Amino acid sequence: MTATTFDKPAVEDRTSSSSPPPLRLQLAPPGTASALIDGAWWPRSRDLTAELPLLTAVLDPRWGRITHVTVNPTFWPVIPRKVPVQGHVVKVGWFEAEQDPHKLLLLSYTAGRWDLLVIPPETDAVTAARLMTTATDPARSLTASGLIQEAELFRIAAEAEAAAWDAARETVWDSEGGHDARHTSSHGPVGTAIGRAPIPAAGK
């Protein structure tokens, strides 16, 4: 797959009185043993020019100034060569076979290299929360793609379990007369049927 790249000299001026939305990011606790993933990031879009400034604004004070970022172009439609952030510029590169498609690699002058799981923007909140927790677990050992695959299997299993539970409840309901009661009630209220019954004439 060929990546699309472009240069953008300046960040668009977006002066607003409202504060930016909270960054959806979770990092491994300080002092945690090194692993394949250092945390999880759940961006709101696949627009690196819009998303990276928000991310580096949080990471720069923690990890030192982020100077380079690399991605796999599989899930990023446009990859800018440079992204202006607060007070400096982040250079962006990309690798296909060499980098996990679900991972963002960050390089800092002072702290070295960091790897973040990138949770797809369209992920539901429950699955995203599970991924963030798993990605920052001290016992974590999966790759970024491994975490995504595990979460997908968990989601499929949960949906299958919910469907089986619903089917079991339906079966019990039918076995207890719910099915017959449903069809009986469809012909009209019981009280109406009784009220129309013929009344025998007096003396008969």
Side-chain angles (χ1 to χ4, degrees), residues 6-12 14 41 45-56 76 78-85 90 92:
F6 68 92
D7 287 315
K8 189 170 183 180
V11 177
E12 180 183 357
R14 299 179 182 177
W41 177 43
S45 72
R46 290 290 185 179
D47 182 355
L48 284 170
T49 302
E51 300 293 340
L52 281 181
L54 300 175
L55 180 62
T56 57
W76 300 98
V78 176
I79 302 176
R81 293 189 180 93
K82 297 178 181 180
V83 174
V85 299
V90 172
V92 183

Side-chain angles (χ1 to χ4, degrees), residues 101-186:
H102 293 287
K103 185 172 70 174
L104 181 76
L105 189 156
L106 305 103
L107 296 175
S108 167
Y109 275 132
T110 59
R113 167 178 167 171
W114 303 85
D115 298 89
L116 294 180
L117 164 69
V118 178
I119 301 173
E122 65 276 9
T123 304
D124 64 273
V126 173
T127 302
R130 176 178 175 79
L131 279 166
M132 286 190 173
T133 299
T134 306
T136 55
D137 187 322
R140 64 200 185 285
S141 59
L142 293 176
T143 63
S145 287
L147 289 168
I148 294 291
Q149 292 169 4
E150 181 186 62
E152 179 64 12
L153 291 174
F154 184 87
R155 184 188 64 79
I156 292 172
E159 289 182 354
E161 183 178 356
W165 174 247
D166 289 343
R169 291 179 61 186
E170 182 74 14
T171 300
V172 171
W173 187 71
D174 286 345
S175 69
E176 293 179 350
H179 182 75
D180 293 335
R182 178 174 57 191
H183 286 280
T184 300
S185 63
S186 66

